[in-house]
């Protein structure tokens, strides 16, 4: 039985690019760029649902739950990309945000196109990471119908876990399963059906919001500073110093001394300087306030 792709917005023809193969390079790129401008507006229309998802994810994090992305092809790779950037950016354990892709590790670098057709593989991949009802599953598919993702979503629902869908086609099969449906309707692609283009860009913007928003909600950000950044290279060591100086208005030498005394833990260094406390006291203050710098500083001022 044929798959009804023509009914999907992401598979329809785009009249703006119908003669793109006849244009000059510059005019061709203008067409692509003009279509890309529509993506942020499509994501904006989905902000209410994205906000719900952020609150759901942050609540799960506060109860030691995990965020699991599940997708095939471009969608799977985008989930893996977002997950892999959380530990260095926010100091999270590698297992807190995980990306799963149809076809496994080999599919990250090389397309395994038929892997997405197996719904049981989605369930199996969740079982292999001991997915529980305390975790959040985010199914990602531009079409909203990928069997691998739907299989994972059905399994997650069967154990009473919360499920979020991200697609670019309204009223999709995935949306019917999800507790929260995030749908960014970006319209037809410049190249018909090439959902790595506008749909992929929309997915990346949404994933950025999900993890950034959730990390802000659990205290990984102070003002607009990444205060849990891990200093794993020379650039990030320097960034830590700049963050401490920006957060406390201290001199470079003070930032270096504080970071040295707390073994490079940025949050602790900031609380030390803002409360005029030593490393041990600063750690205790952060612990009493669930890692939130602002609350730690205010609580110390009250005592």
């Amino acid at each position: 039985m044929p798959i009804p792709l023509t009914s999907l917005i992401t598979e329809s023809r785009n009249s703006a690019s119908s003669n793109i193969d006849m244009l000059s390079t510059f005019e061709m790129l203008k067409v692509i760029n003009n279509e890309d401008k529509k993506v942020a507006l499509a994501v904006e229309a989905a902000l209410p649902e994205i906000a719900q998802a952020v609150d759901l994810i942050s609540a799960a994090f506060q109860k030691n739950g995990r965020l699991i992305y599940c997708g095939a092809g471009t969608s799977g790779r985008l989930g893996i990309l977002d997950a892999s950037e959380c530990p260095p950016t926010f100091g999270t354990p590698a297992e807190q945000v995980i990306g799963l892709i149809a076809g496994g590790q080999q599919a990250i670098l090389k397309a395994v196109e038929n892997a997405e057709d197996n719904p049981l593989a989605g369930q199996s991949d969740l079982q292999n990471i001991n997915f529980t009802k305390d975790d959040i599953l985010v199914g990602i598919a531009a079409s909203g119908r990928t069997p691998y993702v739907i299989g994972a979503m059905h399994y997650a629902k069967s154990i009473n876990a919360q499920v979020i869908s991200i697609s670019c086609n309204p009223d999709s099969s995935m949306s019917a399963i999800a507790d929260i449906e995030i749908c960014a309707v970006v319209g037809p692609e410049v190249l018909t059906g090439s959902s790595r283009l506008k749909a992929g860009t929309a997915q990346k913007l949404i994933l950025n919001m999900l993890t950034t928003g959730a990390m802000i909600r659990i205290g990984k950000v102070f003002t607009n500073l990444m205060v849990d950044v891990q200093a794993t290279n020379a650039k990030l060591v320097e960034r830590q110093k700049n963050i401490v100086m920006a957060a406390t208005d201290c001199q470079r030498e003070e930032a270096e001394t504080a970071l040295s005394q707390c073994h490079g833990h940025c949050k602790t260094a900031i609380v030390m300087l803002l409360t005029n406390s030593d490393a041990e006291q600063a750690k205790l203050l952060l612990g009493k306030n669930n890692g939130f710098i602002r609350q730690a500083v205010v609580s110390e001022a009250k005592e």
Side-chain angles (χ1 to χ4, degrees):
M1 183 177 178
I3 300 171
L5 290 182
T6 53
S7 64
L8 302 178
I9 294 173
T10 52
E11 294 288 337
S12 56
R13 299 284 298 276
N14 190 329
S15 59
S17 61
S18 59
N19 65 341
I20 197 167
D21 61 330
M22 300 171 62
L23 300 178
S24 68
T25 301
F26 181 74
E27 291 300 321
M28 174 205 314
L29 297 179
K30 278 180 65 177
V31 171
I32 296 172
N33 184 237
N34 283 334
E35 289 298 308
D36 285 343
K37 292 173 185 177
K38 301 174 182 178
V39 176
L41 294 176
V43 172
E44 181 182 18
L47 282 178
E49 293 75 28
I50 297 171
Q52 291 177 40
V54 167
D55 288 339
L56 194 67
I57 293 164
S58 60
F61 284 165
Q62 288 166 340
K63 297 176 182 177
N64 296 317
R66 299 173 296 172
L67 169 60
I68 311 299
Y69 292 134
C70 176
T74 298
S75 299
R77 294 183 193 100
L78 288 170
I80 290 169
L81 173 62
D82 194 64
S84 67
E85 291 178 340
C86 287
T89 306
F90 300 110
T92 57
E95 64 273 12
Q96 186 171 0
V97 184
I98 297 173
L100 300 176
I101 186 170
Q105 292 292 314
Q106 63 174 331
I108 299 172
L109 297 177
K110 184 178 180 182
V112 185
E113 297 294 355
N114 63 336
E116 72 172 53
D117 295 329
N118 186 355
L120 291 179
Q123 173 178 328
S124 177
D125 283 353
L126 287 185
Q127 291 171 327
N128 287 339
I129 62 168
N130 299 313
F131 184 86
T132 76
K133 64 180 179 60
D134 298 322
D135 299 324
I136 303 291
L137 178 67
V138 177
I140 314 167
S143 66
R145 58 154 303 279
T146 303
Y148 170 80
V149 179
I150 288 174
M153 292 175 70
H154 276 305
Y155 175 71
K157 291 295 291 182
S158 75
I159 63 170
N160 298 316
Q162 297 289 308
V163 175
I164 298 163
S165 69
I166 299 175
S167 76
C168 295
N169 286 289
D171 303 317
S172 67
S173 299
M174 283 168 47
S175 70
I177 307 167
D179 297 289
I180 299 172
E181 175 200 5
I182 300 172
C183 183
V185 184
V186 296
E189 298 287 3
V190 168
L191 303 182
T192 306
S194 184
S195 55
R196 71 184 183 88
L197 298 174
K198 289 191 296 184
T201 302
Q203 290 170 344
K204 180 66 173 80
L205 292 176
I206 293 166
L207 298 183
N208 285 349
M209 288 183 176
L210 293 184
T211 44
T212 302
M215 296 300 173
I216 291 170
R217 291 271 76 88
I218 64 169
K220 297 288 186 179
V221 173
F222 176 58
T223 66
N224 62 351
L225 300 170
M226 299 184 295
V227 290
D228 259 327
V229 66
Q230 298 295 292
T232 53
N233 58 41
K235 178 188 75 175
L236 295 178
V237 168
E238 190 64 24
R239 180 175 291 165
Q240 270 199 337
K241 296 173 186 176
N242 290 336
I243 287 171
V244 173
M245 287 188 287
T248 65
D249 199 26
C250 74
Q251 298 301 308
R252 181 182 181 83
E253 294 75 15
E254 294 175 282
E256 290 175 339
T257 299
L259 283 165
S260 174
Q261 290 175 354
C262 63
H263 306 291
H265 191 255
C266 207
K267 270 186 178 179
T268 304
I270 291 168
V271 173
M272 287 171 63
L273 290 165
L274 290 179
T275 62
N276 195 29
S277 59
D278 60 29
E280 195 59 36
Q281 290 171 319
K283 287 178 185 177
L284 287 172
L285 280 171
L286 281 168
K288 289 178 182 177
N289 291 278
N290 300 311
F292 285 83
I293 290 175
R294 198 178 298 278
Q295 286 90 320
V297 173
V298 170
S299 69
E300 174 64 7
K302 289 180 179 178
E303 292 183 3

